[in-house]
Amino acid sequence: MKIGKLQQGLKSWVYPISRVMNRVASVALFAMMFLTIADVFLRKVFSWSILGTVEVSEFLMLILVFFALAQTEVLNGHVKVDLVMGRFSERTQAAVDMITQIICFLMFGLFTWSALVYSGKMREAAEVSQDLWLPMYPFVYVVVVGCAILSFSLLLKFFMALAKVIKP
């Protein structure tokens, strides 16, 4: 079956990439935690603050959120209300999932494209952060990568639901 091969092909690279991105997100969370603790400690004990703590935390938050999205989708960790859908047959649930997944795929694909265009404009404008003067466009590329992998994981879920719908 062609859908099965396409599904396996997507799964073979989406799952490993989303796992690696999730690990990077975990490192970003640890770095945010360490930076915040160090800043608070230095402020309370030595009355000295780390310059750019808020900016770096904001950039790390982007990595944390957008790199964890795809793995959360792969693990079915996003919020889902099953109150009504649980009463329908498995095939009907798969059909609704299929529609939902394709709409989300298209929406995040559009968001990925828009973020890519925006990051190019930021790069051309040479926008930098306020305190540390870090270029901001690489962090918009983080959003692009995170949303792109999420889009592909949504497409994979679409094919999984499609296989359930057309199953005899």
Side-chain angles (χ1 to χ4, degrees), residues 7-163:
Q7 182 179 332
Q8 279 304 111
L10 270 172
K11 191 184 285 189
S12 69
W13 64 272
V14 168
Y15 280 17
I17 290 174
S18 65
R19 269 194 304 274
V20 168
M21 288 173 56
N22 194 49
R23 289 187 181 124
V24 171
S26 298
V27 170
L29 177 63
F30 178 77
M32 270 179 37
M33 179 188 67
F34 183 76
L35 180 64
T36 303
I37 288 172
D39 187 48
V40 170
F41 176 78
L42 290 172
R43 190 178 309 132
K44 295 294 180 187
V45 175
F46 299 109
S47 296
W48 184 73
S49 184
I50 300 172
L51 178 67
T53 300
V54 173
E55 279 181 9
V56 172
S57 293
E58 289 171 351
F59 293 143
L60 289 171
M61 183 66 74
L62 276 174
I63 295 169
L64 172 65
V65 169
F66 286 97
F67 273 23
L69 281 174
Q71 183 69 10
T72 306
E73 180 62 32
V74 165
L75 298 174
N76 293 321
H78 291 293
V79 176
K80 192 177 194 179
V81 180
D82 243 2
L83 186 64
V84 176
M85 290 307 298
R87 300 179 188 271
F88 292 108
S89 69
E90 186 176 324
R91 197 170 191 176
T92 304
Q93 289 178 20
V96 171
D97 278 347
M98 188 178 76
I99 293 167
T100 305
Q101 300 299 341
I102 197 67
I103 290 170
C104 290
F105 165 72
L106 293 171
M107 188 174 70
F108 274 98
L110 182 63
F111 187 67
T112 301
W113 177 256
S114 297
L116 186 62
V117 169
Y118 181 65
S119 63
K121 289 179 182 178
M122 287 185 79
R123 185 175 179 193
E124 288 173 9
E127 286 196 40
V128 294
S129 62
Q130 187 173 356
D131 291 334
L132 298 177
W133 291 19
L134 294 172
M136 294 177 70
Y137 73 89
F139 298 101
V140 181
Y141 284 130
V142 166
V143 173
V144 170
V145 170
C147 287
I149 299 301
L150 175 62
S151 294
F152 285 116
S153 66
L154 289 164
L155 184 63
L156 176 62
K157 292 284 183 99
F158 166 77
F159 286 126
M160 293 167 82
L162 180 63

